Amino acid sequence: MYGKVRARMRALVRRDAGMVTSEYAMGIIAAVAFAVLLYEVVTSGQVKSELQAIVKRALSARM
């Protein structure tokens, strides 16, 4: 019985659980593309003015 458990555990440990270099590269490219898209949205005129209005309201709030 212990032989089967040890063999199963050894198979689980040897299983490839990580990404290969090409997958890391694609993940980095996707993250950078998303960051650029998010930057473009946040720095667009309408969003920028809305964010400034929110900050102004927050700074002028009475406490």
Side-chain angles (χ1 to χ4, degrees):
M1 178 166 170
Y2 289 112
K4 287 184 179 183
V5 172
R6 281 181 36 188
R8 176 92 171 120
M9 292 299 289
R10 189 174 17 231
L12 288 173
V13 171
R14 287 185 180 173
R15 193 172 72 192
D16 186 17
M19 292 192 298
V20 295
T21 305
S22 61
E23 290 172 332
Y24 279 116
M26 293 304 294
I28 290 171
I29 290 170
V32 169
F34 181 71
V36 168
L37 178 66
L38 185 61
Y39 177 78
E40 291 295 323
V41 168
V42 170
T43 58
S44 68
Q46 186 175 359
V47 174
K48 193 174 186 178
S49 64
E50 290 293 326
L51 288 174
Q52 286 176 346
I54 291 170
V55 170
K56 284 181 184 178
R57 278 197 308 265
L59 292 177
S60 65
R62 290 186 167 202
M63 293 194 190

